[in-house]
Amino acid sequence: MLLISSKDNPNVKNAVKLKKSARYRRQSGSFIAEGLRVCVDAMLSGAQIETLFVTAKALEKHGDKIQRLADHSAKCFTLTPEVFELVSDTETPQGVLCVIKTLDKTLQFGKIENGGKYLALDNVQDPSNLGTILRSAEAFGVSGLILSSDCCDIYSPKVVRGSMGAVFRLPFMICNSIKEFIEENPQLDSYAAVVDSSADKITEISFCGSCVAVIGNEGNGIKEETLKACSHRFTIPMAGNAESLNASVAASIIIWEMIK
């Protein structure tokens, strides 16, 4: 592999911009995935790896796996530790990072599954929450994830890393609004998660048939227009003085109740 020791190398500059800018990720149609496991997951899922960056230390430690990644990559480079830190988004880099072509999930949502269980996110903003939600959704067998266009970027390095590879495997789509998605898919029973003691308790809902459960913004909850579009409202009963649950915790509880 060609060694890069300059921070001014165009491949390095491109990776740094992909790390920092959601707008640049959208414009370029690429994103980064960091860490050996996540990069291998990307490869096994059939993602198109445009560039592979590794350090000499990582190559020495994980030679066989990195060689497999190299065989699936259009370009491969060895970076000095100092240069790798520029492209890395972690405090303790493993020394393996890929630039990957944006995933085309459109065909996976060509038809809503009969009996499918879907999760919709309405303006969820925390990348850590989104990554955890992706991971839980895949683990419990959710049929697909729908994100409003104002959610945080699903291709953020923190989301990709936090999803532990689920972003490569779980069907998802990004729509203009969850309200619009619900109106365009009347065959789905729609359930809005709210903090309201008068709403139905989640333990009393069967989630039969095809349905979608909606989770809202961490601070403001579900938009009013989305609430009006939903057929049902439910709440997660809580003891103690907590006003609400973290979005990813709430999502895991909702997913479990939907799928069980």
Side-chain angles (χ1 to χ4, degrees):
M1 296 184 189
L2 180 65
L3 174 65
I4 296 177
S5 58
S6 171
K7 65 180 181 180
D8 294 323
N9 181 278
N11 293 285
V12 172
K13 285 186 173 182
N14 179 61
V16 171
K17 290 176 73 175
L18 290 172
K19 177 182 75 170
K20 294 181 176 180
S21 172
R23 182 178 181 181
Y24 184 69
R25 290 192 289 269
R26 289 192 295 270
Q27 291 174 341
S28 65
S30 302
F31 64 102
I32 65 170
E34 184 174 1
L36 181 62
R37 178 176 174 178
V38 175
C39 291
V40 169
D41 280 343
M43 176 188 69
L44 295 177
S45 301
Q48 184 178 337
I49 302 176
E50 298 178 334
T51 310
L52 169 66
F53 296 110
V54 299
T55 61
K57 183 177 179 180
L59 189 57
E60 181 181 356
K61 186 176 181 180
H62 307 288
D64 291 343
K65 290 182 178 180
I66 289 176
Q67 184 57 55
R68 289 183 64 196
L69 283 171
D71 292 341
H72 284 78
S73 304
K75 296 184 292 185
C76 307
F77 300 102
T78 303
L79 304 184
T80 62
E82 295 76 18
V83 175
F84 194 91
E85 285 186 6
L86 296 175
V87 300
S88 173
D89 189 57
T90 64
E91 293 183 6
T92 54
Q94 288 186 339
V96 182
L97 183 146
C98 289
V99 174
I100 298 174
K101 186 174 178 58
T102 299
L103 308 169
D104 183 4
K105 299 277 187 168
T106 307
L107 294 177
Q108 296 186 33
F109 264 89
K111 182 180 180 182
I112 297 296
E113 292 181 16
N114 184 26
K117 311 294 184 185
Y118 297 88
L119 191 69
L121 306 182
D122 196 22
N123 192 31
V124 169
Q125 289 297 304
D126 189 324
S128 297
N129 280 337
L130 181 50
T132 302
I133 290 170
L134 280 160
R135 187 176 180 182
S136 296
E138 189 209 9
F140 290 120
V142 166
S143 303
L145 187 69
I146 301 95
L147 300 92
S148 61
S149 58
D150 53 4
C151 281
C152 65
D153 184 17
I154 197 168
Y155 295 115
S156 159
K158 288 184 178 179
V159 174
V160 175
R161 190 167 62 252
S163 78
M164 294 302 290
V167 69
F168 302 112
R169 297 183 291 267
L170 181 72
F172 68 83
M173 68 174 293
I174 300 170
C175 59
N176 290 330
S177 70
I178 301 304
K179 170 184 176 290
E180 182 179 296
F181 174 82
I182 291 171
E183 291 176 345
E184 291 177 352
N185 293 277
Q187 75 275 32
L188 292 175
D189 276 336
S190 50
Y191 296 85
V194 297
V195 182
D196 183 350
S197 59
S198 66
D200 294 331
K201 293 182 175 61
I202 190 172
T203 51
E204 298 171 351
I205 298 175
S206 62
F207 292 107
C208 292
S210 303
C211 63
V212 56
V214 184
I215 296 172
N217 175 270
E218 292 87 346
N220 301 316
I222 297 173
K223 297 172 190 169
E224 188 62 31
E225 65 173 26
T226 309
L227 283 173
K228 291 179 179 178
C230 289
S231 307
H232 314 278
R233 300 186 185 190
F234 71 91
T235 189
I236 301 172
M238 294 180 291
N241 296 319
E243 292 184 1
S244 63
L245 293 170
N246 171 275
S248 61
V249 173
S252 296
I253 294 170
I254 293 165
I255 292 167
W256 171 253
E257 290 291 337
M258 288 177 68
I259 302 299
K260 73 176 185 180

